[in-house]
């Protein structure tokens, strides 16, 4: 009876660790750690740290549609904006969704909130006074056990128009 009881406890424990939620949390851990490093890079104005989260050939499309075709271009641009209009700004990222396409590829959707910026780059518009909201989609790829970003798309959330929508004449 004792061995059967111990086996039941061991089996129940194994089932807890095999549940999808726990497996997802373990699989997501390195991706969430990367997102934390991105936030830290922004908040410490470290363009090199930001770019380090990308594979050398990783690409980033910014909120204005500008393409940074590799990690070096990402480093250069982020160094410039973090020392310029975004110097001293605060970056917060919230995960909206993580979807694994296979064991080595994941799409990570985040909502970003940037505050305390000096100005915005020409062409960019604040979502509300003092707040820039964006939605960022990262494609992560794992190589030899290391997760880095192979592609990102950042889209600004534009201010809401207060006027009601109309269907037009007729």
């Amino acid at each position: 009876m004792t061995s059967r009881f111990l086996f039941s406890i061991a089996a129940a424990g194994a089932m807890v660790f095999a549940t999808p939620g726990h497996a997802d949390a373990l699989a997501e851990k390195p991706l969430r750690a990367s997102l934390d490093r991105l936030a830290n890079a922004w908040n410490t104005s470290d363009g090199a740290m930001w770019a380090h989260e990308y594979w050398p050939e990783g690409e980033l499309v910014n909120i204005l549609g500008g393409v940074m075709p590799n990690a070096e271009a990402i480093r250069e641009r982020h160094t410039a904006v973090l020392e310029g209009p975004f110097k001293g700004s605060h970056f917060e990222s919230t995960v909206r969704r993580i979807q694994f396409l296979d064991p080595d590829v994941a799409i990570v959707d985040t909502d970003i909130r940037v505050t305390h910026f000096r100005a915005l780059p020409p062409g960019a518009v604040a979502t509300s006074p003092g707040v820039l909201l964006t939605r960022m989609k990262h494609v992560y790829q794992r190589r030899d056990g290391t997760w880095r970003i192979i592609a990102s798309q950042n889209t600004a959330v534009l201010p809401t128009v207060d006027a009601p929508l109309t269907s037009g004449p007729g």
Side-chain angles (χ1 to χ4, degrees), residues 50-154:
W50 181 282
H52 183 73
E53 294 304 310
Y54 287 78
W55 289 110
E57 71 279 16
E59 177 183 89
L60 186 150
V61 178
N62 71 16
I63 63 172
L64 299 173
V67 177
M68 291 161 258
N70 55 51
E72 182 59 23
I74 293 167
R75 183 195 62 74
E76 289 173 6
R77 181 66 181 146
H78 277 75
T79 297
V81 299
L82 291 172
E83 288 301 319
F86 288 110
K87 185 175 180 82
S89 65
H90 182 73
F91 175 103
E92 297 173 27
S93 174
T94 303
V95 174
R96 198 170 59 255
R97 180 177 73 148
I98 296 177
Q99 179 182 12
F100 286 89
L101 301 182
D102 71 32
D104 296 318
V105 177
I107 297 174
V108 179
D109 293 302
T110 62
D111 292 329
I112 295 170
R113 177 183 176 89
V114 179
T115 56
H116 306 297
F117 45 84
R118 295 177 176 182
L120 292 175
V125 178
T127 310
S128 62
V131 178
L132 175 65
L133 301 177
T134 73
R135 305 220 193 281
M136 194 156 195
K137 184 178 294 283
H138 298 291
V139 179
Y140 277 87
Q141 183 182 40
R142 180 169 51 184
R143 300 179 190 169
D144 298 323
T146 300
W147 285 96
R148 290 209 175 127
I149 302 166
I150 191 66
S152 293
Q153 170 74 47
N154 198 4

